[in-house]
Amino acid sequence: MRLSKRIVLIALAFVFMGTALAHAQKKLTNTLVITRPSEHLVVLSTAVDRANQTLTIQGLGFGAQPPQVWCETYLMTVMSATDSQLVVFLPGGVPDGTHLLTVVRGPSDKDRASFHMTVGTPGQGPAGNAD
């Protein structure tokens, strides 16, 4: 008889502990606001393909929707977009040289990134040493 009373008391203790834990978890869930850390937009690199008139931009945090891409003050056309890669139309009229590229996905500072990209035409660089 003594053993069965202990078993009942232990079972009741587990029930009370389970109820208390479930209540605490529910209260915690109702009071916590779970947020994802803000992800800054970052441009890591660019690659120019003059033959196909494209510019590929590698980076982070471009977002679910295609962002705006600017070359200096010219709004470029985004052809394809993922969260880490953009492919934009690069018109043949963009001259060789270094240009300020800006990617914008929203209004805040973390939604904008600038990058100095180099545009060059293959075969137009400085001549190498013939030695």
Side-chain angles (χ1 to χ4, degrees):
M1 184 85 143
R2 230 176 187 191
L3 187 60
S4 61
K5 283 185 181 179
R6 283 187 186 169
I7 293 174
V8 169
L9 288 175
I10 291 171
L12 283 174
F14 279 114
V15 169
F16 285 124
M17 284 178 18
T19 303
L21 287 173
H23 179 69
Q25 184 180 18
K26 182 177 179 185
K27 186 175 180 182
L28 184 63
T29 302
N30 289 339
T31 58
L32 275 180
V33 177
I34 300 171
T35 59
R36 184 176 165 205
S38 64
E39 186 176 322
H40 288 265
L41 189 148
V42 178
V43 175
L44 299 172
S45 66
T46 59
V48 173
D49 183 346
R50 283 285 203 190
N52 292 311
Q53 291 186 308
T54 59
L55 171 68
T56 302
I57 305 165
Q58 300 292 334
L60 304 169
F62 292 143
Q65 300 296 320
Q68 291 183 340
V69 178
W70 297 83
C71 177
E72 303 291 345
T73 59
Y74 176 76
L75 180 62
M76 302 178 82
T77 301
V78 177
M79 298 167 60
S80 68
T82 68
D83 192 52
S84 61
Q85 179 177 292
L86 303 172
V87 178
V88 299
F89 175 70
L90 182 67
V94 174
D96 288 353
T98 301
H99 301 278
L100 180 62
L101 179 77
T102 305
V103 179
V104 181
R105 71 169 183 207
S108 76
D109 287 343
K110 70 178 177 111
D111 295 328
R112 151 184 313 265
S114 296
F115 189 84
H116 288 94
M117 69 169 184
T118 302
V119 176
T121 302
Q124 298 298 311
N129 191 352
D131 293 338

